[in-house]
Amino acid sequence: MSNLLVTGGAGFIGTNFIRFWRSRHPDDYIVNLDALTYAGHRENLSDLEGDPRYEFVHGNIGSYDLVYGIMKVCKIDTVVNFAAETHVDRSLAGPDAERLFYETNLMGTLTLLRAAREAGVPRFHQISTDEVFGDLPLDRPDLKFHEGYPYSPNSPYAISKATADFAVRGFFRTHGLPGITTSNCTNNYGRYQTPEKLIPRAIALLNAGQKVKLYTDEHGVPGKNVRDWLHVEDHCGAIEAILLRGKIGETYCIGGESELSNYQLVERMLAIMSEITGKSLSMEANVELVADRPGHDLRYAMDISNIRRELGWQPKHTFESGFRSTVEWYTSPEGRLWLEGVSGNTEQVREGQNRTLPQQRK
Ligand SMILES: NC(=O)c1ccc[n+]([C@@H]2O[C@H](COP(=O)([O-])OP(=O)(O)OC[C@H]3O[C@@H](n4cnc5c(N)ncnc54)[C@H](O)[C@@H]3O)[C@@H](O)[C@H]2O)c1
């Protein structure tokens, strides 16, 4: 039996992770610490509220006293750090935005590490991204990121995550505690993703009868950027494998082996939505081409042979079935209601208001 502190558990992957972990480890106790920024939705897990093995705490990972208090009072033995500012476009919005990314992603992670060490928490897993590696050329399909690939982050988001990875590694090297692991994962898709990200945003626009926006390069080529897509439940499975069998001090690369250009992804989405709705949707009629964002990474792709060999993990979902069920959910009454409910939630709420610690664990 374990007592987990999951940070950022009201966000996309954190929500899915808490559901995944509870289904596989029903006796474990989970504290979900989340600042409820525009990207955090407590109601994602409202069915768990009142359960003695689940506690939601509204607060900031950068508040030392709060996180140390949770770790002590709840006898936390494992921290899984999802909490982050995650949207690349937002990180490009100027110095205030950049500061927020570093405060949360780097300084917040360091605060968690310090608190974990002081509170004697033995295990800490840092959730990171493939974006720390920079990007790959479009014309070299043989090249992929892997655990030994050099870091070369481009956006403020990627730089803040890369520096956090270094901080986690260096903290362990210096202090030896908590026992850390890190994972760098490719793009996730699935339920509960905030609709500023490509897939839910595109579906929300189509649900509302509007056009999908697709970035176009300076030569007018639309959606050429390639991403390696992984179903969020497979990401959760990989994190579980690392928590249960991963080697302390190691980094694991996670990916879906499903490379698609954004153009191909939107094309597939339109085809599935045409089938679901009975309306004929096409790239010509339902897509609006917009100017590219600065420094847009070209291609991400991951070599997952290490985690496959060492931990026996590999994706269970095929892109075809996983993506179809994802599109089906966002177009279902439940998914549409969820999208509508979170769409207006753009205000940044920084500090937690409910900073009360959970009841002492026996
Ligand atoms: N989404 C992806 O495709 C992807 C891929 C690889 C890695 N990641 C990493 O996975 C993690 C989760 O990503 P996501 O897509 O679920 O993000 P998300 O934006 O959906 O959720 C982030 C959550 O963190 C919370 N949060 C933000 N600042 C906080 C703070 N200071 N204290 C406490 N909580 C705070 C937010 O309220 C939100 O609930 C991030 O670390 C991200 O870098 C994401």
Side-chain angles (χ1 to χ4, degrees):
M1 254 175 52
S2 215
N3 295 335
L4 271 72
L5 171 59
V6 176
T7 71
F12 166 44
I13 307 176
T15 292
N16 281 285
F17 178 77
I18 290 173
R19 287 204 181 285
F20 176 91
W21 195 268
R22 279 181 59 92
S23 70
R24 313 254 307 171
H25 308 273
D27 294 332
D28 285 359
Y29 172 68
I30 298 177
V31 179
N32 174 5
L33 170 67
D34 199 296
L36 297 181
T37 69
Y38 75 95
H41 313 294
R42 180 174 178 171
E43 58 280 13
N44 287 355
L45 294 166
S46 54
D47 52 313
L48 302 187
E49 306 247 358
D51 185 321
R53 285 154 308 137
Y54 173 78
E55 195 85 46
F56 177 81
V57 179
H58 183 189
N60 194 319
I61 57 166
S63 306
Y64 181 88
D65 291 347
L66 178 68
V67 295
Y68 175 81
I70 293 170
M71 290 170 189
K72 284 302 264 190
V73 168
C74 302
K75 301 188 183 349
I76 296 297
D77 53 49
T78 306
V79 176
V80 188
N81 183 28
F82 291 96
E85 289 292 333
T86 63
H87 195 43
V88 174
D89 287 354
R90 279 179 182 260
S91 77
L92 299 167
D96 287 348
E98 265 181 50
R99 193 168 306 114
L100 177 60
F101 274 70
Y102 289 110
E103 260 172 35
T104 298
N105 299 359
L106 174 59
M107 298 314 293
T109 299
L110 268 169
T111 302
L112 275 177
L113 281 166
R114 286 198 188 101
R117 178 167 173 263
E118 289 302 314
V121 176
R123 193 73 177 78
F124 187 105
H125 183 67
Q126 172 70 1
I127 304 293
S128 189
T129 164
D130 60 352
E131 300 194 29
V132 300
F133 298 120
D135 65 351
L136 298 161
L138 290 174
D139 58 353
R140 288 289 307 275
D142 54 314
L143 289 182
K144 292 188 176 188
F145 300 136
H146 53 79
E147 284 79 358
Y149 201 91
Y151 274 33
S152 187
N154 292 320
S155 68
Y157 163 66
I159 298 166
S160 68
K161 293 296 289 185
T163 49
D165 289 3
F166 286 133
V168 170
R169 188 191 148 279
F171 195 92
F172 177 65
R173 173 82 188 235
T174 308
H175 301 291
L177 254 186
I180 58 113
T181 40
T182 300
S183 52
N184 297 89
C185 187
T186 57
N187 285 51
N188 286 211
Y189 65 90
R191 298 176 180 200
Y192 302 111
Q193 188 169 29
T194 303
E196 63 178 359
K197 304 283 169 66
L198 175 61
I199 293 172
R201 186 183 65 231
I203 298 174
L205 286 167
L206 292 168
N207 281 346
Q210 296 174 33
K211 290 187 178 187
V212 175
K213 294 185 175 40
L214 195 60
Y215 285 131
T216 306
D217 75 4
E218 69 275 23
H219 307 295
V221 182
K224 70 177 185 187
N225 307 67
V226 171
R227 302 292 179 255
D228 173 4
W229 290 97
L230 178 73
H231 194 286
V232 66
E233 283 166 15
D234 280 326
H235 188 184
C236 296
I239 298 164
E240 181 195 43
I242 296 167
L243 287 175
L244 298 182
R245 303 187 293 284
K247 210 167 129 198
I248 299 301
E250 286 292 306
T251 286
Y252 293 90
C253 282
I254 306 168
E257 296 184 323
S258 292
E259 283 185 57
L260 272 92
S261 70
N262 289 343
Y263 189 94
Q264 290 171 314
L265 183 88
V266 170
E267 206 174 32
R268 197 69 214 105
M269 179 188 296
L270 292 175
I272 295 171
M273 284 192 70
S274 296
E275 282 173 39
I276 294 172
T277 61
K279 293 182 197 148
S280 170
L281 302 171
S282 68
M283 295 301 282
E284 294 70 32
N286 300 95
V287 173
E288 179 190 344
L289 304 181
V290 296
D292 214 352
R293 73 172 170 225
H296 199 170
D297 283 346
L298 284 174
R299 173 176 164 253
Y300 305 139
M302 197 63 94
D303 175 354
I304 57 170
S305 47
N306 181 54
I307 188 168
R308 187 179 259 140
R309 190 179 53 247
E310 253 198 44
L311 304 183
W313 173 87
Q314 62 179 11
K316 288 187 175 145
H317 291 269
T318 62
F319 178 79
E320 196 50 41
S321 68
F323 189 57
R324 174 175 286 277
S325 65
T326 298
V327 176
E328 280 170 357
W329 186 74
Y330 285 113
T331 50
S332 70
E334 184 193 350
R336 288 176 83 119
L337 205 64
W338 184 84
L339 276 176
E340 283 159 21
V342 302
S343 288
N345 188 10
T346 51
E347 200 187 331
Q348 292 270 5
V349 182
R350 298 293 319 289
E351 283 293 319
Q353 283 141 21
N354 167 15
R355 311 175 104 246
T356 326
L357 292 175
Q359 294 285 301
Q360 175 96 36
R361 291 284 286 166
K362 302 279 175 338

